[in-house]
Amino acid sequence: MRISISINGVKHDADVEPRLLLVHFIRDLAGLTGTHIGCETSICGACTVLMDGKPVKCCAILAVQADGSEITTIEGLADEGRLHPIQEGFWECHGLQCGYCTPGMIMSAYGLLQENPDPTEDEIRHGLEGNLCRCTGYQHIVDAVRHASRQMAAKAVKAG
Amino acid sequence: MSFLAKYIGQKVRRTEDPRLIQGIGHYVDDIKLADTLHVVILRSTHAHAKINSIDLEAAKSSPGVVAVYTGKDVEGRVGFVPCAAALPDLKVPKYPVLAQGKVIFVGQPVAAIVATDKYKARDAADLIDIDYDPLDVVTDPEAAVQADSSVIHEEFGTNIAFHHSAGTGDIEAAFKQADRIVSEKLYHQRLAPVALEPRGVLAHYLPGEQQMTLWSSTQIPHLMRTQVALMLGINENRLRVIAPEVGGGFGSKLNVYAEEALLGWISMQLKKPVKWIESRRENMTSTIHGRSQSGTVEMAVKNDGTLLGLKYQVIADMGAYLQLLTPAIPTLTGLMLSGCYKIPAISMQCTGVFTNRMSTDAYRGAGRPEATYLVERIMDCVALELKMDPVELRRKNFPKPEEFPFATATGLFYDSGDYEKSLARALEMSDYQKLRAEQSEARKQGRYLGIGVSTYVEICAMGPSIALPAGGWESATVRVEPTGKVTVMTGISPHGQGEETSFAQIVGDMLGVDMDDVLVIHGDTSIVQYGIGTFGSRGLAVGGAALACALDKVVAKARKLAAHILQTDESSLTFENGRFVGAPNDSSITIQEIAQAAHTAHNIPPDFEPGLVATHFFEPKNFTFPFGSHLRGRGRQGDRRGQGASIYRR
Ligand code: FES
Ligand code: FES
């Protein structure tokens, strides 16, 4: 099947088998390997990307289902080399160790902060429960998202 | 040497993070080589079965398939999966990389399918028809030692892999003198380590150069190089192992697996890069498991709570085969049976048994958390039996700070400790007396409030070479480049621990250079001198010590050249913040200037070897013994937040 998917603003046209997973389209055809695979069964969240602005686990979506959609991956988050506040938050608050869960965590946090710009600790934990991390014990991830939410609020005030 | 701690102990942002938070680092599966073939491994669906036949015809003619291999193909060509642990009378079964004639655990590799893409390889795997004859399965380690149990390795005639005794002191006398003996049966359940990045291997053999590069998600690239070279019968120096970004290990990647040698061998056959990425299901069945001990612990005590002796009789589940350190894990439990306490006599009797399950091996603490659990549990049981406060019982048996180094009946010397202090701090932070008062109040109202207390000590910084099969030292090379930039090559292989940062902090302070001028290279056996790797809480403690020693050598060499250039005595010079000062004429010279002078070699003393580089192999004299206390109250309504405390000292 011929499909066309826009990833981080770049259009990718390809003839794919209907069974091709979106995560493989992103990693193998578009060559964007920041989206990781930790389970291929929609459990770990390592493969989380934004599909038309909403976080999805792209190991559980077929590429053909994403035909015509806009995908944002971790590589597309920084703005002209300037880190996104969520990326800054993870860096500043030691929100990662091995970094394997990190792209998915950041994309899920992005979705969470869009819906709830000022989440409490409990809301962050609940909002990220679809993402597993084996290294950090989560506390610093929560701190990172809190940090990001404050930075984003400060920015919004400035911009407003 | 003196330095100002500009970096050490300060909060710095990690050097590793920019690539990781932007998704532009490279884990094994992110490395793409042209013409790579993909390998899928078909695994046993039986825990114990004879293989009558394997029909590969359909798979071989499936689209995109390049080759299919089974046990017959590798027999005599690829060596067995190695076990490095040495115990007297240990029975080591031959562990083929692909099953030969029978399978003995679910997940054992049976066939390798190589195809032009992973979907096609997977399709072909589904077309392989294996005729199995199921045999009796032994999954319960306690049943495995029974006379009527089926035997997994017929050549041994038993499922017992080894007996191991540990401990010293007159244990029988201790138990005779005891006012009471408290005992408890404990299970440490089997678990799967589950690093978030599964294992993966990319192998690329170049027949012209007769060199192979093997990328693997591993904690031990050098040890793997040695072992895989032996398995493949190639020279170690022609094999380059690279541990790229590694997505967590927790001990599960402190191993040499069948797939690493198998992929190397396949690449040699097909003369193409070949890649295998473990699925999560494979990770659950075919990457080592942890724990799995069942044992009885007995404590001999006096009525006043004085501990006299501890016995631990345990069956340790090895699984079907022995992986790299499988039998060594329960011996670590044996070493730590004294916990934080003075126990004059200790005896462990351990029986290692084979079962039809994946091998156990090192997982987070590797035998040591088992010891903490059983010692702390029996302490609580003793307190209950003696109607003593569990805190008092612990306090009564702590060695005092002045008793360190403290010799345990398990043969260790705890270097230092103040267990009383850490416990006191936890009691204070959690307001222990108040918690106890609330607890008895709650009981009166028919409610339960649990209070858990635990103190622990761990054996870390693995370790003196005598304690580890391949040695326990670590290596570091420091190379100051002509421009004054500093390159560190470390033998450890961090996978999340952050030593690219912490080592740069050490270099920054000890050489007085900017942290950003430091590059820490690890995990590539062609670049880095031989090293041992990252596990057993050793990266900073042993690898960092090697680095500090190498830096001392660099500064000593630089001092020679500085004295020559400044025309003074070495002894008159002080090295401060990257600069040699103190020459009589008030002149000084920076480490960067020295580096340049050492490379141009136009103005050096006659016996001075050009360049500014030093390597150190650091052999630790002992382990380290960090300790801590945990205390928490918990009611039916949930956690008593703010009433818990964890105190650590590392
Ligand atoms: S890889 Fe998609 S959820 Fe785990
Ligand atoms: S940082 Fe390793 S899994 Fe999250």
Side-chain angles (χ1 to χ4, degrees):
Chain A
M1 275 182 78
R2 280 215 76 78
I3 57 169
S4 173
I5 303 177
S6 162
I7 308 179
N8 304 332
V10 178
K11 240 172 108 186
H12 294 266
D13 298 321
D15 198 2
V16 302
E17 279 190 75
R19 64 174 175 170
L20 181 74
L21 298 176
L22 178 56
V23 69
H24 289 142
F25 186 96
I26 293 170
R27 290 180 50 85
D28 300 338
L29 273 76
L32 294 165
T33 56
T35 301
H36 298 152
I37 301 173
C39 69
E40 267 181 49
T41 46
S42 74
I43 289 169
C44 75
C47 65
T48 308
V49 298
L50 303 178
M51 184 162 147
D52 296 326
K54 291 246 170 312
V56 294
K57 293 178 174 179
C58 68
C59 71
I61 293 180
L62 299 170
V64 293
Q65 290 175 286
D67 186 21
S69 68
E70 304 260 347
I71 303 285
T72 307
T73 70
I74 187 72
E75 292 96 333
L77 207 56
D79 183 11
E80 285 171 11
R82 247 181 313 120
L83 294 178
H84 188 277
I86 304 175
Q87 292 171 313
E88 285 282 352
F90 272 73
W91 194 8
E92 180 62 28
C93 299
H94 196 177
L96 61 151
Q97 289 181 27
C98 79
Y100 200 75
C101 69
T102 312
M105 283 287 177
I106 290 177
M107 299 318 279
S108 285
Y110 185 98
L112 169 69
L113 292 177
Q114 255 182 337
E115 285 205 344
N116 180 358
D118 186 21
T120 62
E121 170 167 351
D122 279 351
E123 286 167 343
I124 294 171
R125 288 181 184 276
H126 183 65
L128 297 182
E129 70 189 3
N131 291 72
L132 302 181
C133 174
R134 290 289 287 139
C135 301
T136 62
Y138 301 102
Q139 187 55 49
H140 290 328
I141 292 177
V142 173
D143 296 346
V145 178
R146 289 287 309 144
H147 185 273
S149 110
R150 282 195 299 272
Q151 296 300 312
M152 287 161 78
K155 244 191 209 165
V157 168
K158 242 193 230 158
Chain B
M1 184 189 322
S2 67
F3 60 80
L4 280 181
K6 181 170 159 203
Y7 296 118
I8 297 173
Q10 305 302 313
K11 180 185 160 102
V12 298
R13 287 180 159 202
R14 291 207 316 172
T15 313
E16 296 78 348
D17 289 356
R19 63 178 189 264
L20 302 178
I21 55 180
Q22 295 183 83
I24 51 177
H26 290 92
Y27 301 84
V28 176
D29 197 21
D30 305 338
I31 297 163
K32 316 257 181 194
L33 302 182
D35 292 332
T36 296
L37 298 171
H38 296 266
V39 177
V40 161
I41 293 172
L42 183 64
R43 297 175 185 275
S44 169
T45 48
H46 289 267
H48 198 187
K50 196 166 154 290
I51 300 175
N52 290 329
S53 62
I54 307 179
D55 183 354
L56 301 175
E57 281 323 300
K60 279 187 171 162
S61 53
S62 185
V65 171
V66 176
V68 183
Y69 301 106
T70 65
K72 278 205 190 82
D73 300 299
V74 296
E75 193 172 357
R77 300 195 177 95
V78 183
F80 298 106
V81 178
C83 172
L87 288 175
D89 302 323
L90 176 67
K91 296 188 179 66
V92 184
K94 293 196 167 83
Y95 185 173
V97 298
L98 289 173
Q100 282 159 15
K102 76 174 196 171
V103 288
I104 59 172
F105 69 95
V106 169
Q108 183 169 359
V110 177
I113 302 95
V114 192
T116 49
D117 89 44
K118 53 194 167 209
Y119 285 69
K120 295 197 171 93
R122 184 71 255 171
D123 287 344
D126 290 344
L127 299 174
I128 295 178
D129 196 11
I130 307 176
D131 180 19
Y132 287 112
D133 227 346
L135 300 168
D136 282 350
V137 169
V138 193
T139 55
D140 176 358
E142 291 181 73
V145 295
Q146 302 302 322
D148 60 348
S149 169
S150 85
V151 172
I152 297 168
H153 300 285
E154 291 116 7
E155 65 274 30
F156 302 145
T158 169
N159 289 325
I160 295 176
F162 66 89
H163 288 290
H164 170 76
S165 324
T168 61
D170 192 341
I171 194 76
E172 295 315 325
F175 273 70
K176 248 185 236 142
Q177 285 163 26
D179 293 328
R180 295 183 207 215
I181 291 164
V182 181
S183 79
E184 183 90 334
K185 177 89 195 256
L186 296 173
Y187 296 93
H188 306 266
Q189 85 278 14
R190 206 174 232 268
L191 48 77
V194 191
L196 202 63
E197 182 210 22
R199 291 188 293 122
V201 185
L202 170 62
H204 189 199
Y205 181 69
L206 297 172
E209 290 79 357
Q210 294 183 26
Q211 288 184 23
M212 173 134 62
T213 306
L214 199 73
W215 289 262
S216 183
S217 184
T218 183
Q219 303 173 222
I220 48 165
H222 281 99
L223 304 185
M224 178 179 303
R225 183 187 75 170
T226 304
Q227 294 298 333
V228 170
L230 290 170
M231 290 169 82
L232 296 179
I234 61 177
N235 288 353
E236 177 172 18
N237 49 8
R238 291 181 180 275
L239 175 59
R240 175 183 191 181
V241 174
I242 300 176
E245 216 72 75
V246 171
F250 316 114
S252 72
K253 296 173 183 173
L254 159 55
N255 228 305
V256 178
Y257 285 97
E259 293 86 355
E260 281 145 350
L262 182 61
L263 270 274
W265 182 78
I266 294 174
S267 182
M268 289 170 80
Q269 306 311 299
L270 302 176
K271 306 187 173 42
K272 288 241 174 109
V274 292
K275 186 188 262 187
W276 164 77
I277 301 296
E278 190 183 53
S279 69
R280 181 57 64 196
R281 174 186 284 257
E282 288 178 290
N283 181 258
M284 296 283 189
T285 60
S286 314
T287 285
I288 61 99
H289 290 170
R291 318 279 188 243
S292 208
Q293 290 185 10
S294 46
T296 301
V297 53
E298 290 175 273
M299 188 78 95
V301 289
K302 288 211 196 130
N303 279 335
D304 69 356
T306 306
L307 306 178
L308 299 175
L310 180 148
K311 284 187 195 171
Y312 183 44
Q313 184 113 28
V314 59
I315 290 182
D317 176 9
M318 301 289 101
Y321 290 109
L322 303 180
Q323 286 270 349
L324 198 64
L325 299 172
T326 303
I329 306 307
T331 68
L332 290 172
T333 309
L335 280 180
M336 292 312 291
L337 285 178
S338 202
C340 303
Y341 313 109
K342 294 201 271 190
I343 310 178
I346 292 179
S347 158
M348 170 163 102
Q349 299 298 331
C350 173
T351 305
V353 303
F354 294 111
T355 56
N356 288 117
R357 310 201 275 187
M358 179 60 199
S359 314
T360 55
D361 206 314
Y363 168 73
R364 276 186 165 158
R368 298 165 287 169
E370 288 89 323
T372 299
Y373 171 53
L374 73 92
V375 172
E376 290 304 299
R377 180 68 198 131
I378 200 68
M379 289 300 277
D380 277 358
C381 295
V382 169
L384 206 63
E385 171 79 20
L386 299 178
K387 299 194 173 50
M388 237 177 124
D389 182 333
V391 164
E392 281 323 303
L393 178 70
R394 284 172 170 82
R395 276 186 164 147
K396 187 175 179 62
N397 291 285
F398 285 155
K400 305 276 163 277
E402 57 276 14
E403 289 176 75
F404 288 86
F406 172 70
T408 68
T410 59
L412 294 173
F413 287 90
Y414 292 175
D415 54 350
S416 63
D418 190 344
Y419 306 150
E420 172 64 44
K421 195 170 175 181
S422 109
L423 180 57
R425 183 98 180 89
L427 296 177
E428 180 196 316
M429 285 173 75
S430 56
D431 206 344
Y432 182 66
Q433 292 312 331
K434 191 159 153 243
L435 264 183
R436 284 285 178 211
E438 278 178 32
Q439 183 187 45
S440 52
E441 198 50 42
R443 287 270 165 89
K444 280 183 211 146
Q445 299 166 12
R447 289 186 300 116
Y448 287 95
L449 171 66
I451 300 172
V453 59
S454 165
T455 54
Y456 81 95
V457 56
E458 200 178 338
I459 180 170
C460 287
M462 298 272 159
S465 289
I466 191 80
L468 291 171
W473 46 267
E474 197 45 87
S475 69
T477 294
V478 175
R479 194 170 68 209
V480 189
E481 313 290 359
T483 51
K485 308 296 171 199
V486 185
T487 309
V488 171
M489 281 144 286
T490 172
I492 63 162
S493 194
H495 41 280
Q497 292 82 355
E499 274 97 359
E500 285 176 36
T501 308
S502 52
F503 280 17
Q505 289 175 273
I506 294 173
V507 174
D509 280 346
M510 286 184 69
L511 278 191
V513 299
D514 201 299
M515 246 185 93
D516 292 340
D517 285 347
V518 183
L519 173 68
V520 179
I521 300 177
H522 56 81
D524 184 336
T525 63
S526 277
I527 300 180
V528 179
Q529 70 290 337
Y530 208 92
I532 303 297
T534 291
F535 55 89
S537 311
R538 68 191 311 279
L540 194 57
V542 190
L547 173 61
C549 294
L551 284 164
D552 279 344
K553 288 182 182 172
V554 162
V555 173
K557 183 171 178 184
R559 180 185 299 275
K560 244 190 204 116
L561 188 51
H564 174 79
I565 294 172
L566 300 177
Q567 299 179 343
T568 182
D569 287 346
E570 281 182 48
S571 58
S572 68
L573 293 175
T574 310
F575 186 56
E576 267 177 18
N577 302 326
R579 187 180 281 275
F580 287 97
V581 295
N585 53 4
D586 248 8
S587 58
S588 70
I589 188 164
T590 65
I591 187 79
Q592 290 84 356
E593 289 164 336
I594 292 286
Q596 194 189 11
H599 282 87
T600 57
H602 293 157
N603 178 18
I604 56 175
D607 60 343
F608 189 87
E609 187 184 335
L612 191 52
V613 52
T615 297
H616 192 88
F617 284 65
F618 175 75
E619 171 66 38
K621 291 201 169 54
N622 192 359
F623 307 94
T624 61
F625 294 92
F627 57 89
S629 305
H630 290 258
L631 201 153
R632 190 161 285 282
R634 197 176 173 89
R636 287 283 289 280
Q637 259 71 48
D639 218 1
R640 292 276 321 273
R641 286 228 170 129
Q643 298 278 9
S646 302
I647 306 294
Y648 312 93
R649 188 235 132 200
R650 297 201 82 103

